[in-house]
Amino acid sequence: ASNVLAYNLVFPDQYSLTRKAEAIGALLTRLRSAPNVTSAGFSRHGLLIGEEIILGTLVPPGRSLDEMRESRTRFRAVSDGYLTAMGVPVLNGREPTPGDGAGAPPVIVMSRWAARRYFGSTQPVGQLVDWHFDKGQAVQMRVVGVVEDLRQESPTDDVFPEVFADWTIANLV
């Protein structure tokens, strides 16, 4: 059996994203080095709280922005290690790692439902998608993994398509 501890971390409004990232990085380093800790991660908003964030529109290869605009996909901002820490099964590929993004497109992980929505029967891992944000910018992202669909508050909840991306994605928007 595994134990999961969740903490609510609140920063003052005046903290910059850089200062928050440094504090979260230091906290994760300390947690990961503690005895008996097998994984630790961070999320802007965790599982089981029913929060829904829709951020922009994902456009896979061969599809248009207009065609995909009505696709509502939940966005989850997470650190490396978060999916493992929460016990989310990776079905294909992997979750983000600390080395992602160094000179390469940022990475995302999709839920099974999101992978079907955007890629049908085509293998999503390794594919590039354009993530169009509300202010007109688009960022190219690489799909590195597919995870099992998640339920938010109870085992009987409906599932929704979800995309997990590095929590510092706010730098791109």
Side-chain angles (χ1 to χ4, degrees):
S2 66
N3 294 322
V4 174
L5 297 175
Y7 296 97
N8 188 15
L9 183 60
V10 180
F11 291 104
D13 291 340
Q14 65 269 26
Y15 276 26
S16 69
L17 184 60
T18 301
R19 188 170 181 185
K20 291 175 188 177
E22 289 169 353
I24 290 165
L27 181 60
L28 287 175
T29 298
R30 284 189 70 186
L31 286 170
R32 290 171 177 159
S33 67
N36 302 321
V37 171
T38 57
S39 61
F42 170 82
S43 177
R44 156 58 185 83
H45 60 285
L47 302 175
L48 305 175
I49 63 171
E51 185 175 49
E52 179 180 69
I53 295 177
I54 307 296
L55 182 65
T57 304
L58 287 177
V59 180
R63 309 285 284 277
S64 72
L65 177 59
D66 287 337
E67 180 183 0
M68 300 307 296
R69 202 173 296 278
E70 296 304 314
S71 295
R72 292 179 46 88
T73 301
R74 289 179 175 172
F75 167 72
R76 297 232 176 251
V78 301
S79 73
D80 62 282
Y82 178 78
L83 295 168
T84 296
M86 293 303 294
V88 178
V90 176
L91 302 174
N92 195 4
R94 61 177 176 82
E95 73 173 291
T97 63
D100 287 326
V107 302
I108 59 173
V109 172
M110 299 181 140
S111 67
R112 181 193 307 235
W113 188 5
R116 278 192 312 266
R117 169 179 279 174
Y118 292 101
F119 293 99
S121 61
T122 302
Q123 170 59 257
V125 174
Q127 298 280 342
L128 293 170
V129 297
D130 293 325
W131 196 336
H132 293 262
F133 296 101
D134 298 330
K135 296 176 186 170
Q137 318 88 307
V139 176
Q140 195 170 62
M141 312 284 278
R142 181 172 309 282
V143 180
V144 296
V146 176
V147 296
E148 186 58 79
D149 292 330
L150 305 170
R151 289 176 169 74
Q152 287 305 310
E153 296 177 34
S154 84
T156 59
D157 281 351
D158 290 334
V159 294
F160 293 91
E162 296 187 88
V163 171
F164 300 86
D166 187 277
W167 76 276
T168 59
I169 190 91
N171 284 334
L172 303 173
V173 246

